Amino acid sequence: MTYISIIIAIFAAKKERNMSYSLSQYNCIKIGVDSVAICNTFSGGLAVLDKDEYYKFRNIQNYSALDNDIKEWHKQGFIVEDGKDELSIVNYCRFRDTFLMNRPIYRILTTSTCNAQCFYCYEQGRPIQTMSKETALDTADFIISNTEEKEKVTLNWFGGEPLLNPDVITLIMQKLISELGSDRIDSSMITNASLFSKELISKAKETWNLNNIQITLDGMAEIHNKRKSYVNNCFTFGKTIETIRLLLSEGFRVSLRLNYDKDNFNDIVNLIYFIHETFGNQENLICYAYPLFNTTSNKEDSYVYCDDIPVYMPRIISALAKCGYYNPNMILQRRTHACFATDPYSYVINSDGVLYKCTMDKMELSRSVGNVKDGIIMNSVLMEWTTPILPEQCLNCVMLPICQGGCRASRILNLDESLDRKSVV
């Protein structure tokens, strides 16, 4: 070590020794009988402290910055340097990324019809529409005209059940690939997977450029079949599992989203272990559980709220972790946007070619932000979805870094007035 390096090290140690810390404003603390659990929504840090450690944690000003526990807690983000303004950092990132030119995302509804009748579906009661070939070609032209040179785009096929109208997917993809090239298009789909045949799987691979498929499961066989309530009961849990097996064997990345509420929670925990026994751990398989969203089509007593986290989340995390599926970033990853709808460069393309910001919107012309023929309209509806300005209650919330204001639809559309009283997980 050189003389200059020694001098630098001495000054660094002196600075560290004199460092003064305070508790992060984004610590979530759960006090148990013999231990205290802490997670930090800003850093993603997780820890369990015993009573003595927690006393030390609450009185960090009485301990040296060189103490090993203090060093570790600082590393985890539970304590921060005095004067560090975490809220300003979270706000800065949200404003910065709102106005950056992000990669455009288009969620395309091929149809509003569906062969399942999930009781929690927020699209119930909407007019039945199926995208025509003419609208499909207009959709492709709209995407091409709004894509900068060398820019990549992301497509997400949605419905209803998108596979009820596969021909328009083929039309759109053929035109986009001919104009932009396949390497500039990422294509994914949200589906119940019931209509995938070997022919469609080949088309998805060779023509649709499909690389990720999200499939929702609602429990083990009996519960899943009951909740999906397929038309004519012609599709079953067993067929869905076989389809998942086939998709994985063909190299598709498959994301299994397990929807749970208080009524089917135990079944979902069992389903996690079943999935592991059936498929094991594969690089292209993702499995996660998510509480049903709080909509008017769901039963109020089955909602899972933030207050219920200590009851439900530990068992979910434990099951996912034991099976090798747990990814903490899916829960504690700091965000710069709340969701797809708050990104100024992302749009929903409805089956009739009208543009919206969120699939949960009412799909009424008064709520539209343009159409594929005439382009995007910079109106007040677009502004309310994409503004980075949040209510005061959000800015004072410990969940802000991983939430960034939460579901914008809940606030804009007044989906549930109880959100002011209890927040959905």
Side-chain angles (χ1 to χ4, degrees):
M1 182 179 287
T2 65
Y3 177 75
I4 293 177
S5 298
I6 293 173
I7 296 297
I8 292 174
I10 291 173
F11 274 100
K14 183 177 180 181
K15 181 180 179 181
E16 183 179 13
R17 183 170 58 250
N18 295 328
M19 186 74 71
S20 179
Y21 294 116
S22 55
L23 299 183
S24 168
Q25 71 184 91
Y26 294 115
N27 288 328
C28 292
I29 299 174
K30 178 66 175 177
I31 300 176
V33 177
D34 299 314
S35 61
V36 177
I38 303 175
C39 74
N40 186 277
T41 59
F42 185 92
S43 67
L46 288 165
V48 177
L49 310 182
D50 61 31
K51 294 294 185 180
D52 290 338
E53 290 171 327
Y54 184 59
Y55 176 83
K56 186 177 187 178
F57 175 76
R58 299 296 300 182
N59 296 277
I60 55 171
Q61 68 278 2
N62 297 331
Y63 297 86
S64 166
L66 298 178
D67 182 279
N68 287 334
D69 287 335
I70 301 297
K71 286 183 175 181
E72 179 61 25
W73 295 335
H74 179 250
K75 180 180 177 182
Q76 291 273 17
F78 303 139
I79 60 176
V80 297
E81 301 92 338
D82 281 345
K84 181 176 181 178
D85 190 343
E86 295 172 288
L87 175 59
S88 290
I89 295 172
V90 174
N91 287 338
Y92 167 77
C93 291
R94 185 176 63 259
F95 274 78
R96 178 199 63 193
D97 284 15
T98 295
F99 299 111
L100 282 178
M101 179 61 79
N102 301 312
R103 177 193 292 195
I105 302 173
Y106 301 101
R107 178 163 286 180
I108 304 172
L109 280 66
T110 66
T111 179
S112 61
T113 60
C114 189
N115 60 342
Q117 304 173 82
C118 305
F119 72 88
Y120 52 79
C121 180
Y122 54 78
E123 296 185 60
Q124 292 179 9
R126 290 183 181 174
I128 300 299
Q129 295 176 323
T130 296
M131 182 176 285
S132 67
K133 293 181 179 180
E134 181 183 1
T135 301
L137 294 175
D138 288 339
T139 295
D141 288 337
F142 167 79
I143 293 171
I144 292 167
S145 65
N146 283 277
T147 302
E148 302 288 337
E149 186 178 359
K150 297 183 180 180
E151 183 180 44
K152 289 188 176 183
V153 298
T154 297
L155 308 179
N156 178 240
W157 306 101
F158 195 70
E161 170 49 52
L163 292 177
L164 282 169
N165 191 16
D167 290 345
V168 300
I169 303 177
T170 301
L171 276 176
I172 293 171
M173 286 304 301
Q174 286 176 335
K175 191 163 189 177
L176 290 180
I177 290 174
S178 68
E179 293 287 334
L180 303 178
S182 60
D183 61 330
R184 293 174 62 189
I185 304 169
D186 285 332
S187 177
S188 64
M189 179 180 288
I190 299 176
T191 174
N192 59 42
S194 63
L195 299 177
F196 262 123
S197 61
K198 290 185 178 180
E199 179 185 356
L200 281 182
I201 289 176
S202 296
K203 191 166 287 188
K205 196 171 186 178
E206 298 167 8
T207 306
W208 299 349
N209 215 34
L210 204 62
N211 49 44
N212 186 75
I213 301 169
Q214 179 184 303
I215 300 169
T216 299
L217 297 174
D218 293 298
M220 297 292 287
E222 182 180 356
I223 299 296
H224 176 83
N225 293 340
K226 182 178 180 181
R227 289 186 167 224
K228 279 285 180 267
S229 187
Y230 284 110
V231 177
N232 300 325
N233 295 317
C234 52
F235 302 103
T236 65
F237 176 81
K239 287 183 180 179
T240 303
I241 295 300
E242 287 308 308
T243 299
I244 294 169
R245 192 191 307 277
L246 184 57
L247 290 169
L248 288 171
S249 69
E250 290 293 329
F252 290 97
R253 188 183 187 200
V254 178
S255 299
L256 300 181
R257 171 170 166 148
L258 317 182
N259 278 342
Y260 71 88
D261 58 19
K262 294 177 182 178
D263 292 338
N264 74 333
F265 178 77
N266 290 330
D267 215 54
I268 289 296
V269 172
N270 293 334
L271 179 60
I272 294 171
Y273 291 108
F274 172 83
I275 291 169
H276 184 255
E277 291 170 4
T278 305
F279 302 113
N281 298 99
Q282 302 185 39
E283 186 178 357
N284 57 337
L285 174 65
I286 296 173
C287 178
Y288 67 101
Y290 202 83
L292 284 177
F293 211 86
N294 195 357
T295 70
T296 55
S297 62
N298 195 2
K299 297 176 296 181
E300 185 171 359
D301 59 359
S302 69
Y303 293 160
V304 175
Y305 295 96
C306 278
D307 292 350
D308 300 314
I309 286 179
V311 177
Y312 295 99
M313 194 59 70
R315 285 188 62 195
I316 288 289
I317 291 176
S318 176
L320 291 172
K322 287 178 181 177
C323 295
Y325 298 137
Y326 176 57
N327 180 0
N329 285 337
M330 297 191 73
I331 298 177
L332 293 176
Q333 186 175 38
R334 181 148 48 106
R335 298 183 182 183
T336 56
H337 282 83
C339 69
F340 154 93
T342 61
D343 188 326
Y345 306 101
S346 298
Y347 296 91
V348 172
I349 303 178
N350 198 22
S351 305
D352 56 2
V354 178
L355 303 176
Y356 298 93
K357 285 300 293 174
C358 177
T359 56
M360 295 185 72
D361 213 333
K362 299 174 183 178
M363 301 298 181
E364 298 172 352
L365 285 178
S366 62
R367 298 290 309 161
S368 71
V369 293
N371 60 73
V372 294
K373 291 280 285 185
D374 303 318
I376 300 162
I377 301 172
M378 302 294 287
N379 58 14
S380 60
V381 176
L382 180 61
M383 297 304 106
E384 69 179 345
W385 282 103
T386 58
T387 178
I389 300 172
L390 297 179
E392 193 69 26
Q393 67 189 64
C394 291
L395 300 180
N396 295 326
C397 179
V398 72
M399 304 299 287
L400 179 64
I402 61 173
C403 175
Q404 286 290 13
C407 176
R408 191 67 57 89
S410 295
R411 188 160 59 247
I412 292 175
L413 306 176
N414 295 318
L415 292 180
D416 181 28
E417 295 178 357
S418 71
L419 287 179
D420 292 333
R421 174 175 47 85
K422 280 185 171 182
S423 297
V424 176
V425 175

